[in-house]
Amino acid sequence: LDGRERLRAQAYERLEASEVYYNVYGRLRAGATTQMAGVPEQLRDAVAAERDASYFDGATMWVGRRTDDGRTLVVQLSAADYLAQHQQLVNVLVLAGVGGVGATSVLSWLIASGLSQRLRRGAEAAQAIADGDREREASQPGRDEVAVLTSAVDGMASALTQRLDREREFSADVAHELRTPVTALVSAAELLQEPGLPPADAARFAANIVRESHRLQEVVDRMQELTSLQSRRLLQHQQRVELLPLLQEL
């Protein structure tokens, strides 16, 4: 899921919690409304046609649903986190560009010392890579130092790109995995604080807290295991394994 889809999923989670609260107590939670003033016309029309609908206006994710009494319950969620993630990507590219400028300065000094046109083309390609052109290659033909250097630039750019992609995917996945149980925990805890809560509802909300707490602990445990594995160069416990029996089982 991309950032917008995760934002939509979180907004629907809040809508679900608000609907439960509305059906139980007959009043609205903070952040939910049944007043259509200020609600985008696109969302109002979509809810009227499909009962459930969402709309993103570039800064806010809107979700709405018709309630059993015929009203439209609307929840809005700011896209600040989504936009912040986009800005973080921009910052990473800016830092890469700064590093590229430094590399270009070194290459310019070498060119001034009398290196060939091939090195000049390699420097131009390295700058293009630093500016974000992932399709550009700096490698130059030959077997001399120029070929070795430009090939190393391509390898470094490829490794950096893969690492940034993995880190962005990992950060997005972790944020998504943590947001869902945390949102459920907060919603259930808020509902348990309401005076006069029926015992059956209190038991259900308490069970939700226990379930989501276990889910949150599982996510944290998996993250710790992954971090531990990534920090190791060699496995702590090693043993010889006969490959033939394993292949025969397959």
Side-chain angles (χ1 to χ4, degrees), residues 56-75:
F56 182 65
D57 62 9
T60 303
M61 179 63 70
W62 300 80
V63 293
R65 174 178 296 167
R66 288 202 308 274
T67 60
D68 295 338
D69 59 5
R71 294 187 176 185
T72 299
L73 184 63
V74 176
V75 170

Side-chain angles (χ1 to χ4, degrees), residues 77-134:
L77 188 61
S78 172
D81 292 340
Y82 166 68
L83 297 176
Q85 182 180 3
H86 177 74
Q87 184 60 43
Q88 183 180 13
L89 175 60
V90 172
N91 293 339
V92 170
L93 294 178
V94 170
L95 291 176
V98 172
V101 170
T104 302
S105 300
V106 175
L107 292 176
S108 298
W109 178 82
L110 294 175
I111 292 173
S113 300
L115 290 180
S116 67
Q117 181 66 28
R118 291 167 53 245
L119 183 56
R120 186 177 297 108
R121 290 195 300 267
E124 294 172 354
Q127 181 62 59
I129 293 172
D131 290 338
D133 186 355
R134 295 190 176 187

Side-chain angles (χ1 to χ4, degrees), residues 3 8 17 24 32 35 49 56 61 72 85 102 107-109 131 153 158 161 163 174 176 183 185 208 220 223 241:
R8 179 178 287 108
V24 172
Q35 301 297 323
F56 182 65
M61 179 63 70
T72 299
Q85 182 180 3
L107 292 176
S108 298
W109 178 82
D131 290 338
V153 171
S158 177
T161 298
R163 180 172 181 177
V174 168
H176 175 66
T183 300
L185 284 172
N208 288 343
V220 172
M223 291 174 57
V241 176

Side-chain angles (χ1 to χ4, degrees), residues 41-57:
E41 181 180 354
Q42 295 88 335
L43 180 69
R44 297 199 304 266
D45 294 342
V47 172
E50 302 179 12
R51 186 176 183 272
D52 274 2
S54 64
Y55 174 70
F56 182 65
D57 62 9

Side-chain angles (χ1 to χ4, degrees), residues 232-248:
R232 297 179 185 174
R233 292 183 177 272
L234 296 174
L235 293 177
Q236 185 175 3
H237 302 289
Q238 302 182 33
Q239 62 179 5
R240 294 183 177 275
V241 176
E242 295 293 338
L243 294 180
L244 182 57
L246 295 177
L247 295 175
Q248 291 175 343

